[in-house]
Amino acid sequence: MTTKLQVTRPGALTTIQDAGRTGHAHLGVPRSGALDAPAMDLANRLVGNPQGTAVLETTLTGCALRPDTDVTLIVGGAPCPVTVDGRPAPWGTPVHVRAGATLDAGPATSGIRSYVAVAGGLAVPPVLGSRSTDLLSGLGPAPLAQGDLIPVGRAAEAPA
C-alpha cells in the first residue's frame, strides 16, 4: 500500500518542488525547483532522504496534511508554528505523525517559504526529469488544492 498525504489546507500557494529541471533551457524550459535549495536539502537530510528529493514548498501561509499511515515529516525553511492535531510540535526537527492525525505548518513568522519533507519523498510522476511544479510553463503537478492526495515514495526511489 502506498502512503498518501491528504491536503486539508493548501495555503496560499503550496507546490511540489525538487532540485529542478536541468539541461532543457535551450528548449525554453526553465529549471524551476525549490527557491531555497539549501533549506530543502537540510529538511530532506533530516528525514533520511537523498538530496533533491521532492518536498512541499509553502508560500507565507503554510499548509496542513493528513497521512493515511504513520509517517515522519519535518517542517523547515522559513520558521513557522507547527502543530499535530492542534498540539505544538517542533519546527526544524523530524516529527512522527500517526495515521489520521493532521500536521499543520502555520504562517511563516519570518521569511517566505517553508518546506515540508516526508521520509520517502513525494512520489508524483516526474516531467522532464523533475517532480517540480513550474507555474510559468505549466509543467509538473498543479499547486495543491484541498482534498488532493499526494503519494509518498521510498527514499531510495524518490529523486527523478
Side-chain angles (χ1 to χ4, degrees):
M1 178 172 100
T2 300
T3 297
K4 290 186 177 56
L5 302 175
Q6 180 181 24
V7 178
T8 60
R9 184 176 64 80
L13 177 63
T14 302
T15 59
I16 295 174
Q17 299 295 336
D18 60 16
R21 294 174 184 83
T22 58
H24 302 289
H26 67 288
L27 299 172
V29 177
R31 184 186 70 78
S32 193
L35 287 171
D36 186 347
M40 174 191 68
D41 289 340
L42 177 59
N44 271 322
R45 190 167 44 252
L46 290 171
V47 292
N49 292 339
Q51 185 174 349
T53 298
V55 300
L56 296 178
E57 181 180 79
T58 72
T59 304
L60 294 174
T61 61
C63 68
L65 310 162
R66 182 179 302 130
D68 64 358
T69 62
D70 293 3
V71 296
T72 299
L73 300 162
I74 188 169
V75 181
C80 64
V82 179
T83 61
V84 175
D85 280 347
R87 295 183 178 164
W91 170 89
T93 301
V95 175
H96 182 76
V97 179
R98 296 212 176 269
T102 299
L103 175 120
D104 193 301
T109 56
S110 66
I112 295 175
R113 289 184 174 79
S114 297
Y115 292 87
V116 181
V118 58
L122 305 178
V124 298
V127 177
L128 295 176
S130 173
R131 292 179 166 85
S132 289
T133 301
D134 184 335
L135 297 174
L136 294 177
S137 70
L139 294 174
L144 298 191
Q146 187 161 343
D148 282 354
L149 295 174
I150 306 163
V152 175
R154 292 188 302 267
E157 66 187 32

